[in-house]
Amino acid sequence: MSNRKRLLSSMAAVLLLGSVLSACAKENNGSNASPGSSSTASTGSSNGSSNAGNPVELGLFYNGAWYTFPEWGSNTISQMVTEKTGVTLKFTKPNADDNQQFNLMIANRDLPDFVVNDMKNPTYNKAIDAGLFEDLGPLMDQYAPELKQRMGDDYWKMNAAADGKNYTINSAEIRPSNLDRFLPVGPWNPAPLIRQDIYEALGKPKIDTPDDLYNVLLQVKEKYPKISPLVIGNSKFPFTAQPFGYEFFIASFGVEMYYEKDNKMYANYKNPKYLDALKWLNKLYTSGIITRNDIALTDEQRKSIIDSGNVFYQVGSVGTGYQFPENDKSIKYVYAPMFPDATILQQNSIGWAGWSISKTSKHKKEAIQFMSYMMSDEGEKLTHFGIEGKDWKMDNDTPVRTDEYNENIKNDLEYTKKLGTGAYWFNLDLYDHWIEGGEMKKNPEQKEALDLYLPHKNLKLYMLSIEPGPESEEATILAKATSDFNAAFPTFLMAKDEAELEQRYADFIKKMDDMGMPKLEALWTENANKMRKSLNM
């Protein structure tokens, strides 16, 4: 998926809230509630918050200098959320992504009501160890039981800290209870694309298997000398990330992020299929389909070649199918089929950013109830889709954009900014996947992509977030292994023949094992088994 980063928020209702809610409950007894939005009743949002006229301001620190939140209240959705919850947010962030500011806040034990942080950032566990985040369990039991129920037991098990407590709402999180909304194909996913005019001129030959594609690429090389048969790009070769660049072809041979054998987890380059993929890529090199320069392409160079249209086959994305290169609108790229064993639709983590309530907050009740509204069905649809009936509607059981919304974004480039959809991301619960799926099903071309790629989805929940903690010995091993892997990968491709490739590959595996890879693999296995146990798998 493009790697988008997600963030957090807060909520309110003060003095007299208990009596107001009691009155609201009596007034609303027997009224119809929308499915999945039980938090509305507990926050009083069906009739507006008791704080709506005098909202409570909650502070939110996002530990990421790169992200810019629009000011709360500057768009329609944030205004509507305040009307529902009686809460406004004040955002702060560091000046640089070096953790200095957050480390100082931890040392001074001076945090705002909310903190949003990458859960892989070492400062995340540092704040927990310092006792600076609230355990959400007791807060939910007292003030927001509907939040605890809605997220489901699996969610809390999968996201529990080492001490078994829950200190965060995890954005973009995948769990069994939300898989009905999780479409593992979106515009951000990798996709093979071919230049339509050349493919048709060749007689639309089969390109279903690695051998098929190799033969077609040879034809392109011979018949169109000014055209690059294949552009892959990406000079980095991480082996635990979603498969783009060269990793896309590795995954196309059926290689997963981890090699699972006898219920144990190993580095994926130990999968025999990995060597098959390397041999295929090496054959592309020795036959001149790709060159040393191709292997070393920067992202900018790759983009320049693609923009020119002088390439037959490229690893693009679902969102770039049936589009034209920037410099030649007479050329069109269309979707190509996947190899039979391809397993491209993978995830490597449960989620991304943790949204926590600080122990120093003077508004814990308001904060957890704000979380509850934002994570409710009503809150998520509002913040991710916009206004029902105006910006979106339900098509059977799938949300889709309305004609009015599509017309508005066509006529007003600032429409989504004014509306505020997706502006904050702290409550992301895969609702964006849900509506993306609805839109893709409406679009004949992207529906084609769904039909091509969904059979290759590969989502194994027990493989999610099994990586080591950021300051552990295993994390050091992983960082060194990744660096060495990046250096070794091009040498595999540029081997003079299969025999040399096999020797380099065997030498690399031994080197990694001597460096400590079995220790990291043991941790992966341990963490995967814990995940299996927590999910009863």
Side-chain angles (χ1 to χ4, degrees), residues 139-370:
L139 282 179
M140 290 187 291
D141 288 340
Q142 186 172 3
Y143 300 119
E146 70 289 336
L147 173 60
K148 191 172 190 177
Q149 180 179 4
R150 179 171 191 261
M151 304 306 284
D153 289 341
D154 288 334
Y155 178 90
W156 304 113
K157 289 176 183 177
M158 292 173 72
N159 290 288
D163 61 6
K165 297 179 181 179
N166 291 100
Y167 297 100
T168 188
I169 294 287
N170 192 347
S171 70
E173 188 270 347
I174 300 169
R175 62 186 185 279
S177 59
N178 71 2
L179 290 181
D180 60 326
R181 293 191 298 271
F182 174 62
L183 180 73
V185 176
W188 52 84
N189 284 112
L193 306 173
I194 53 174
R195 190 167 140 172
Q196 186 178 38
D197 58 340
I198 295 178
Y199 181 60
E200 291 176 351
L202 293 173
K204 296 185 177 180
K206 282 182 60 178
I207 49 175
D208 298 333
T209 69
D211 286 342
D212 290 340
L213 180 57
Y214 173 76
N215 291 330
V216 170
L217 293 175
L218 275 181
Q219 291 183 54
V220 173
K221 179 177 179 292
E222 293 166 359
K223 295 182 178 181
Y224 300 89
K226 294 184 179 180
I227 298 295
S228 297
L230 171 68
V231 169
I232 304 176
N234 291 4
S235 57
K236 298 289 185 182
F237 311 99
F239 52 85
T240 56
Q242 285 201 41
F244 281 88
Y246 283 90
E247 275 292 295
F248 174 85
F249 285 104
I250 301 295
S252 294
F253 276 73
V255 176
E256 299 178 340
M257 289 177 298
Y258 308 94
Y259 176 39
E260 186 176 10
K261 182 180 179 182
D262 300 328
N263 289 324
K264 293 182 179 180
M265 313 298 284
Y266 299 93
N268 70 355
Y269 56 74
K270 293 182 178 179
N271 188 331
K273 294 179 180 179
Y274 205 110
L275 182 56
D276 293 339
L278 288 178
K279 288 179 178 179
W280 184 80
L281 289 168
N282 174 250
K283 186 165 68 170
L284 298 183
Y285 177 78
T286 56
S287 61
I289 292 173
I290 58 175
T291 68
R292 182 185 295 266
N293 288 337
D294 293 326
I295 294 171
L297 280 179
T298 66
D299 288 340
E300 292 76 16
Q301 290 169 331
R302 176 181 177 276
K303 183 179 184 301
S304 177
I305 294 172
I306 290 173
D307 286 346
S308 73
N310 293 325
V311 59
F312 172 67
Y313 190 107
Q314 59 166 296
V315 181
S317 66
V318 170
T320 54
Y322 286 93
Q323 293 189 15
F324 310 95
E326 188 172 308
N327 300 333
D328 191 340
K329 302 304 181 185
S330 67
I331 295 171
K332 181 187 288 187
Y333 285 91
V334 297
Y335 300 114
M338 297 298 304
F339 296 164
D341 293 335
T343 171
I344 61 164
L345 304 175
Q346 307 177 29
Q347 296 290 323
N348 68 339
S349 66
I350 295 175
W352 174 69
W355 175 16
S356 305
I357 297 174
S358 71
K359 281 242 175 134
T360 55
S361 171
K362 294 183 172 66
H363 300 285
K364 296 182 179 69
K365 176 180 179 181
E366 291 84 354
I368 193 66
Q369 289 183 339
F370 182 82

Side-chain angles (χ1 to χ4, degrees), residues 365-379:
K365 176 180 179 181
E366 291 84 354
I368 193 66
Q369 289 183 339
F370 182 82
M371 278 183 164
S372 183
Y373 177 77
M374 295 298 282
M375 299 305 298
S376 71
D377 189 65
E378 176 185 330

Side-chain angles (χ1 to χ4, degrees), residues 445-489:
E445 293 170 352
Q446 293 204 328
K447 174 67 166 57
E448 177 186 340
L450 289 179
D451 293 339
L452 281 172
Y453 305 140
L454 275 179
H456 301 280
K457 67 181 179 181
N458 176 29
L459 182 63
K460 296 180 178 178
L461 292 177
Y462 60 86
M463 286 190 181
L464 299 180
S465 294
I466 65 174
E467 293 298 325
E471 294 183 327
S472 63
E473 179 184 355
E474 291 87 352
T476 301
I477 294 171
L478 177 60
K480 181 67 167 62
T482 301
S483 176
D484 288 355
F485 185 83
N486 288 338
F489 191 92

